[in-house]
Amino acid sequence: GNSSFTSNNVGIYLGYSSADEGAHNFTLLNSTITSSTDVGLRALLSDNVTLYNNTLSGNTNQNLYLNGGNDFWNVTNNVFSSSTYGFFDENGGTPNQNDTFFNNTFQSNTVGVQLQYADYFNFTNNLILSSSTGLAISDGSDSNTFDSNQINSSGSVAISFQNFNSFDQNFTNNTVDTYLYVQCYQNSSFTLSNTTVAVNRITNFGAMNIYACDNAVLNNISISSHTSTSYGGLFIVNSDNVTVGN
């Protein structure tokens, strides 16, 4: 721990072109990676990596870049700030899977978190703050879980989906500028009551999104001020027998 990597092209590069060349079981603790001209930490085909209590800041293109085949990461208590992407996920031939991000701060990046080919990730209790786009999800990313995260002060949009096929994510107890973000996906017993949303630019679709969620019941909901997209306050797609009432 307590190491620093400053003003390199890439601060730390893990792995190479095949799984047997990966940097498995790597741990980075209490360290800083700053002012890289390209990437702070870049990884390819490296599993079981732990990043704990580090600061990655001011790295030009990405603070953290997972380039494919990086599974079972534990990323906890880190700060990712002042880059084009706080975290960037890409498919370098195989998706990244089963990675956990807990209690991290993504601040003042152009895009806080970009998921292109991420499957079965768990994002819990993270703060995404003061980005143009807080969280961007492409339709190559499936079955990820977002629980109790906060996305605040996004300049363009808090959550951007490539299309509604990228709605296949699980969102629970997440907030955008203190208002609950509601998204239902494949839950045939979904109910929601007594919920108010009064903020613009929550997503590039609806302020609430109901996708592949037959028989959902929404009672006493209030949505206002979501004017930045053509999909309205409540967007329902691929869902039958939905009831909205008081």
Side-chain angles (χ1 to χ4, degrees), residues 59-64 83-88 109-112 114:
N59 302 292
T60 301
N61 293 319
Q62 299 97 0
N63 281 315
L64 175 60
S83 180
T84 303
Y85 294 93
F87 166 54
F88 187 86
N109 304 286
T110 304
V111 178
Q114 170 78 59

Side-chain angles (χ1 to χ4, degrees), residues 48-82:
N48 298 302
V49 169
T50 297
L51 306 181
Y52 181 80
N53 200 39
N54 304 289
T55 296
L56 286 73
S57 182
N59 302 292
T60 301
N61 293 319
Q62 299 97 0
N63 281 315
L64 175 60
Y65 177 18
L66 300 191
N67 192 203
N70 301 285
D71 301 338
F72 300 104
W73 283 46
N74 184 339
V75 182
T76 299
N77 288 357
N78 302 281
V79 175
F80 304 93
S81 66
S82 304

